[in-house]
Amino acid sequence: MAGSGKLHLRLDSDPLLIVQDLVVQYKVNRKSFVSAVAGISFDVLRGETLAIVGESGCGKSTLGKAILQLPRPQGGTVVLDGVDITALEGNDLRDVRPKVQMIFQDAISSLDPRLQVKNIIDEPLKVWKKGTAAERSIKVDNLLNSVGLDPVVVRDRRPYEFSGGQCQRISIARAIALDPVLLVCDEPVSALDVSIQAQILNLLQDMKEEFGLTLIFISHDLAVVKAVSTRVLVMYLGKICEMATPDDLYAHPAHHYSRALIAAVPIPNPEVGVDKIRVTGEPPSPVDPPTGCRFRTRCESASERCATEEPQLQEVGLGHFVACHHPVTN
Amino acid sequence: MNQLLKLADFSVSFATPRGNLHAVRGVDLVVAKGESIGIVGESGSGKTVLSRATMGLMPSTATCTGLVEFNGVPLSNLSRAEVRNYWGTGMAMIFQDPLTSLNPVRRIGSQLMEGLIVRLGMPKKQAQARAVELLERVRIPDPYAAMKKYPGELSGGMRQRIVIAIAIACTPELLFADEPTTALDVTVQAQVLELLAELRQEINMTMILVTHDLGVVAGQTDRVVVMYAGEIVETAATKDLFANMKMPYTEALMKSIPRLDQSSGQRLRVITGRLPDPTSPEPGCSFAPRCEYATDKCRAEKPPLVTTQTGHQYRCFFPIGGSL
Ligand SMILES: Nc1ncnc2c1ncn2[C@@H]1O[C@H](COP(=O)(O)OP(=O)(O)OP(=O)(O)O)[C@@H](O)[C@H]1O
Ligand SMILES: Nc1ncnc2c1ncn2[C@@H]1O[C@H](COP(=O)(O)OP(=O)(O)O)[C@@H](O)[C@H]1O
Ligand code: SF4
Ligand code: SF4
Ligand SMILES: [Mg+2]
Ligand SMILES: [Mg+2]
């Protein structure tokens, strides 16, 4: 199948996660499918924070969930710590599940409102039979302390008694309870107030260091991504456009879409004029994506070749990859 | 200065089971015709209540005191029904969530035409033509088709543009935009902001923009109002504020927000603690419990609003960079 290339994979560096040719389809009606993730390959090294950015509907959440095999992807492989989890079934798959955990944007509704906080965090420990009740209770308290909540105060309360930021702390405690190696964070701070955002972002950083985690950080906020990530993957309509370190990407975006996306972020400095590079319109429907380069319907530099030939990832700088026939030159 | 809106000692409180909740406290604000004002502050600081109360959009549990004067008319003396006459043509509002401010079971066209027919008394045919014009104005592709659609059939960005079209339908003099782009992608946000800026130019519309995005504030406003615990704690011309902020709260808020023009991998500054309980306001400076510069004086006494020669106002005993 027409992928977007794999030149950017660092297979000799023993990545924690290797995703190749991943395809996730949703049924639209009896006859047609939409490929929300349309042949994506990437890897994540141990200790990295890989950010996935792109407009609403481009497939970020779908990609994140497919790594956890929720639901199982229609094509491609996901290799975690040397094990191809797309090939696992039944108990074998169940056994690797604790290694990858996910947290969501809407923390409050992702927690069971009927349960007390201690039971919310204890639940995965209990299901996976991690220790006696007494041992688990100590672990729950330790986890609450780690995420900055006072166990004495919060143990017996229920999610609706907490603010969005506190609920996100609880869901982080729950996610790290089983000592995962990889944490997929889907817009973890998008629903939070600005003053709380920074606290949760710092907490994720602390958790990463304390528990040796590797992070996949899904976000549409490019400034947040710059602050937290070590590598950024830009997605458009189910495909990869560009991959680079945040400093590289923001200073020298090579894909026309990344460039427009970055230019659209308003700069908090009234002395700086508003940038005029604009993407007009909205992404086309993924049900019937454009041929060739999927961005061509909104790209000012599109040529005939862009309509017929899908661009493959090429290296334009050290560790900087772009899928474009006519990359932006700086 | 050609004054459009004036608030004087304006307060709003709500009767709640836990006592009186003071959402807006003693706000003084004068807005000139054509001005664009940004209101910033963390969630719960009273931004939305201030905007809605100015428009007379408050539930019966709310008590508003003080003066609201619009075009020289003291609205605070008018009845609810009389204030309503100002909606649409005088003042209009765009809310944060475009889904909840549109009626999901009515077609776009009928929602757009309502104001034109009810407020401006346009005949239906004319209202229809004007509605199509408005949709073109906010760059909805194929406006005739869009008129027949329901809100759920449009994307978030399109819906927010419809909401803007409805808000500007009767060419309001003053537009309140309460986080109009928070739910949108940056690309769509840029389009919506550009559209609002154009409209301001064209019909000399005055705008009060509530947002937590400092980039949006920097690019779209002439003056910034910083709210904390229901009060205005700092206000200044936008350039002046960014160059020379006086309130420790403003500084802390600005520093806690990740910026694209900072290098990656830096630990973010946080404002510890949270807003004071609005049912029992602090005796001294409301920011004192969270302020790194707070002294006993701050905790005991309320700092007065200081106005500098440039019109920069702040409410702090120990302003950053010293008092002027
Ligand atoms: N359960 C589903 N059934 C059918 N289509 C779906 C389903 N979930 C997602 N899609 C479609 O798949 C595409 C990708 O959706 P996804 O939720 O992954 O996007 P996203 O990048 O996470 O967007 P956002 O930024 O809005 O969260 C979209 O076109 C969406 O409409
Ligand atoms: N209808 C209401 N009844 C009681 N309290 C309210 C109501 N609306 C808002 N409040 C309270 O008023 C304060 C200010 O709220 P709001 O103006 O919505 O803040 P912001 O828009 O700055 O986030 C908050 O404490 C909020 O809980
Ligand atoms: S491949 Fe062509 S259409 Fe796609 S981004 Fe590059 S120039 Fe634009
Ligand atoms: S008055 Fe005191 S507590 Fe309040 S902001 Fe100024 S220094 Fe801080
Ligand atoms: Mg998503
Ligand atoms: Mg609000």
Side-chain angles (χ1 to χ4, degrees):
Chain A
M1 86 161 293
S4 294
K6 292 183 199 173
L7 196 67
H8 59 303
L9 295 184
R10 301 160 292 183
L11 301 180
D12 47 356
S13 308
D14 184 28
L16 175 68
L17 180 78
I18 307 164
V19 171
Q20 293 196 64
D21 307 313
L22 198 69
V23 175
V24 185
Q25 294 175 325
Y26 293 114
K27 218 176 181 142
V28 179
N29 53 43
R30 228 176 304 148
K31 279 191 221 105
S32 55
F33 288 94
V34 40
S35 294
V37 171
I40 279 192
S41 306
F42 64 92
D43 55 19
V44 188
L45 301 186
R46 286 160 220 275
E48 266 189 332
T49 299
L50 173 75
I52 301 177
V53 302
E55 282 165 296
S56 182
C58 72
K60 305 182 293 295
S61 301
T62 304
L63 175 58
K65 284 187 277 188
I67 294 168
L68 278 79
Q69 308 295 299
L70 293 169
R72 304 202 82 159
Q74 274 70 28
T77 57
V78 175
V79 177
L80 179 75
D81 230 347
V83 178
D84 179 2
I85 58 177
T86 39
L88 298 181
E89 301 283 349
N91 280 341
D92 294 335
L93 179 60
R94 186 178 179 275
D95 287 345
V96 298
R97 282 205 187 276
K99 289 179 139 188
V100 197
Q101 295 294 317
M102 191 156 179
I103 59 171
F104 300 92
Q105 168 169 355
D106 192 357
I108 297 183
S109 61
S110 69
L111 301 172
D112 187 336
R114 293 161 306 175
L115 293 184
Q116 291 171 312
V117 167
K118 60 178 179 209
N119 295 326
I120 289 176
I121 300 172
D122 183 48
E123 193 187 77
L125 296 167
K126 206 166 151 186
V127 170
W128 292 95
K129 301 194 174 64
K130 301 281 179 186
T132 63
E135 284 164 354
R136 295 199 314 265
S137 171
I138 294 169
K139 171 117 193 183
V140 167
D141 285 359
N142 289 342
L143 286 164
L144 284 169
N145 273 321
S146 294
V147 297
L149 295 171
D150 182 349
V152 183
V153 179
V154 306
R155 284 186 117 250
D156 300 330
R157 296 167 70 190
R158 287 168 224 275
Y160 53 78
E161 297 175 54
F162 294 96
S163 68
Q166 288 171 316
C167 284
Q168 200 55 287
R169 287 179 193 270
I170 296 166
S171 61
I172 292 171
R174 182 179 199 272
I176 58 179
L178 294 170
D179 303 313
V181 289
L182 180 67
L183 188 60
V184 179
C185 311
D186 191 357
E187 307 265 11
V189 297
S190 305
L192 302 179
D193 189 56
V194 278
S195 58
I196 312 297
Q197 252 191 30
Q199 296 176 13
I200 298 297
L201 293 173
N202 285 348
L203 174 66
L204 282 172
Q205 198 60 35
D206 293 342
M207 296 298 97
K208 198 181 147 185
E209 279 156 29
E210 187 176 340
F211 297 95
L213 293 171
T214 299
L215 253 51
I216 291 182
F217 189 96
I218 297 171
S219 178
H220 70 271
D221 186 328
L222 290 151
V224 165
V225 159
K226 185 163 186 190
V228 303
S229 68
T230 52
R231 218 164 174 236
V232 187
L233 185 163
V234 183
M235 256 182 99
Y236 186 79
L237 223 58
K239 296 266 185 195
I240 295 182
C241 298
E242 188 162 4
M243 210 169 176
T245 62
D247 287 329
D248 226 6
L249 178 73
Y250 294 157
H252 311 289
H255 197 282
H256 298 272
Y257 176 62
S258 324
R259 183 174 66 156
L261 204 58
I262 292 161
V265 179
I267 301 293
N269 180 352
E271 308 287 342
V272 177
V274 177
D275 213 317
K276 279 291 170 198
I277 312 162
R278 284 274 177 274
V279 257
T280 48
E282 288 173 58
S285 161
V287 178
D288 185 20
T291 55
C293 172
R294 293 189 167 202
F295 184 56
R296 71 178 163 83
T297 51
R298 296 165 83 193
C299 181
E300 283 177 5
S301 306
S303 67
E304 260 168 52
R305 182 174 172 212
C306 303
T308 53
E309 192 186 321
E310 187 184 347
Q312 303 290 303
L313 278 160
Q314 51 169 313
E315 190 162 17
V316 287
L318 191 65
H320 188 156
F321 298 87
V322 63
C324 172
H325 294 309
H326 317 288
V328 180
T329 48
N330 297 282
Chain B
M1 187 170 79
N2 211 343
Q3 171 184 316
L4 180 66
L5 176 74
K6 178 177 173 184
L7 302 177
D9 198 19
F10 186 59
S11 299
V12 184
S13 61
F14 296 99
T16 74
R18 292 178 47 239
N20 246 350
L21 186 151
H22 304 275
V24 172
R25 300 188 292 152
V27 162
D28 293 307
L29 182 67
V30 173
V31 182
K33 277 205 170 99
E35 214 182 357
S36 167
I37 303 234
I39 304 186
V40 300
E42 66 202 272
S43 171
S45 56
K47 308 180 298 290
T48 299
V49 171
L50 178 67
S51 327
R52 297 188 65 118
T54 304
M55 280 192 72
L57 282 165
M58 278 285 112
S60 55
T61 51
T63 310
C64 304
T65 58
L67 174 78
V68 180
E69 198 179 278
F70 186 73
N71 261 335
V73 182
L75 299 189
S76 25
N77 295 347
L78 301 183
S79 71
R80 261 170 190 268
E82 286 169 317
V83 172
R84 211 161 288 163
N85 287 333
Y86 285 85
W87 293 354
T89 52
M91 301 184 248
M93 188 153 186
I94 309 174
F95 299 97
Q96 173 168 357
D97 183 358
L99 243 198
T100 52
S101 50
L102 291 171
N103 185 336
V105 296
R106 278 179 60 201
R107 293 179 203 276
I108 301 295
S110 103
Q111 300 193 48
L112 247 177
M113 282 153 54
E114 183 182 274
L116 299 168
I117 295 170
V118 176
R119 306 227 172 274
L120 301 184
M122 265 189 200
K124 195 168 172 220
K125 267 261 152 57
Q126 197 187 338
Q128 220 153 17
R130 171 89 177 120
V132 169
E133 225 175 86
L134 283 163
L135 290 175
E136 278 168 353
R137 189 71 204 74
V138 296
R139 295 197 211 94
I140 297 288
D142 199 355
Y144 288 97
M147 293 274 282
K148 298 201 187 71
K149 288 194 171 149
Y150 292 96
E153 297 173 61
L154 302 171
S155 73
M158 299 252 271
R159 282 199 292 259
Q160 194 58 304
R161 273 178 272 180
I162 304 279
V163 170
I164 293 175
I166 293 173
I168 61 164
C170 308
T171 48
E173 288 179 87
L174 175 62
L175 180 71
F176 285 100
D178 192 353
E179 312 225 11
T181 56
T182 305
L184 305 177
D185 280 315
V186 282
T187 46
V188 182
Q189 163 173 291
Q191 295 166 19
V192 169
L193 291 175
E194 214 166 72
L195 175 66
L196 285 174
E198 270 174 39
L199 290 167
R200 270 186 12 239
Q201 288 256 310
E202 251 168 57
I203 58 176
N204 191 32
M205 188 173 68
T206 309
M207 182 165 78
I208 296 184
L209 177 69
V210 176
T211 176
H212 68 258
D213 188 326
L214 297 175
V216 173
V217 171
Q220 307 293 325
T221 65
D222 308 318
R223 200 146 60 93
V224 186
V225 167
V226 183
M227 283 190 78
Y228 186 77
E231 288 180 312
I232 294 186
V233 293
E234 182 161 15
T235 160
T238 307
K239 281 189 182 172
D240 189 13
L241 186 95
F242 276 85
N244 188 20
M245 47 192 84
K246 288 284 165 198
M247 275 298 290
Y249 175 65
T250 312
E251 187 194 54
L253 185 70
M254 301 274 195
K255 285 202 171 144
S256 70
I257 301 173
R259 301 167 59 131
L260 211 53
D261 56 356
Q262 273 163 356
S263 58
S264 61
Q266 285 181 13
R267 202 172 170 81
L268 296 163
R269 286 267 298 259
V270 299
I271 316 178
T272 50
R274 60 170 93 172
L275 281 169
D277 179 354
T279 56
S280 52
E282 307 281 329
C285 170
S286 48
F287 188 53
R290 304 166 78 184
C291 179
E292 52 180 313
Y293 311 109
T295 65
D296 287 343
K297 182 177 179 176
C298 306
R299 283 179 277 268
E301 250 178 81
K302 201 154 198 54
L305 194 69
V306 176
T307 307
T308 71
Q309 274 174 347
T310 57
H312 195 142
Q313 293 184 311
Y314 55 86
R315 208 182 269 285
C316 175
F317 289 123
F318 307 105
I320 295 161
S323 40
L324 295 174

